[in-house]
Amino acid sequence: MISDKVLDNLPQEIRRRVEPYVEAVQLMTQTSNAKVLRSMAPSAVRGLILQRGKQGVPTLMPSNHKVYFDWTYPNDQPEMRELYTRAKEQQWNGDDLPWHIDVDPENPEKQILSREFMDFDALRASGIRLTNLEERRLNSSLASWMLSQFLHGEQGALFAAAQVTEAVQFFDGKLYGATQVVDEGRHVEVFHRYLDTKMNKLYQINDNLFVIIDSLIQDSRWDVKFLGMQIMVEGLALGAFGTMYQMTREPLLKELLKMVIQDEARHVHYGVLALRDHFRHELSESERQEREDWAFEVALLMRNRFLSFEVYEEWFEHKMTRKEWAGFVTASPGFALFRQVMFNRLMPNLREIGLLTDRIKPHYQRAGLMQYADGRSATQLSGDQMIAELDAA
Ligand SMILES: [Fe+2]
Ligand SMILES: [Fe+2]
């Protein structure tokens, strides 16, 4: 395999072309579970090498799952029925957000990400000097990048929620799922409207997020779709929304995030309910282990590779290497905070659904993620409680 040193010494143009292959190989060689490798490798090729999400044309993904009908309409899951009732009562209209507010992401009084988000001193130490205005613009680019990834994740959630609504066997879960499809449609609407009319900037989907979405949409097993979307992507998104909600001084975005967080808290709660018994009682031990390894790979993808490379390509491609950028972003205070809050949300849910056994714990320990495992899971925390805690912090 090509080492980082060899890569750093290649001419810029060649390095650009080789790097996606190196990343795909690194991704595929980090797992020791052959089944996880088989299910993720085609997605890694489509996302990292072919860059299917960045071709400027619609992406067609084949889907192949069974649609489960039940003509007896059982009341089979009281807790899901309760979530369904709550979801109906808590519907809201994206048009009612205060869209009249003028958004100026470069105005420090109304910034989306705090100035301390990036460590500009570290950037200066590596020889890159930015004026105050450029610093504010870079912060604004990062905010647009992050919101763009939220939007792309929401599109994935919309289709995954629709697929899962067809495929699950719980009748109360199907009714609940119908409300989630509406919720996700609304999230796509409001994030897109915000980016389109307030930020005037939309970044393409990050390759690694594409890999995860591609992998779960094409998997025929409902519980893998569920694990990928409801637990991993939505769990991490919930943490990211919460961090941005706390950080932003822009009132329209704050209100938008507050509404979305309350919906997402229900979605993750549903994911934990649906998977808890399934993983513990319905799967064989080798099937459960495959999910456990798959979740760990996705957690690593989100932790190590979700590093605004699209912003790097726009700003710094000729000024530093991709690896230097990755190091700089990983160490920046804002991303460190995002990582902390995201995994604080995710890890207790993995514990709750039985995917954090003694077998996998040492791996999470080595990745520095076990410290987040003791918190409350989504079944123990409502959206209102979550907002109250964010406001109090
Ligand atoms: Fe959503
Ligand atoms: Fe969601």
Side-chain angles (χ1 to χ4, degrees), residues 154 184 187 234 264 267:
E154 295 290 358
E184 305 298 11
H187 299 173
E234 305 240 81
E264 296 299 352
H267 303 171

Side-chain angles (χ1 to χ4, degrees), residues 343-361:
F343 284 98
N344 255 326
R345 286 274 168 261
L346 175 67
M347 297 297 287
N349 293 334
L350 290 176
R351 183 197 69 213
E352 189 70 22
I353 59 176
L355 293 190
L356 204 54
T357 62
D358 288 344
R359 173 183 166 273
I360 198 81
K361 276 180 185 169

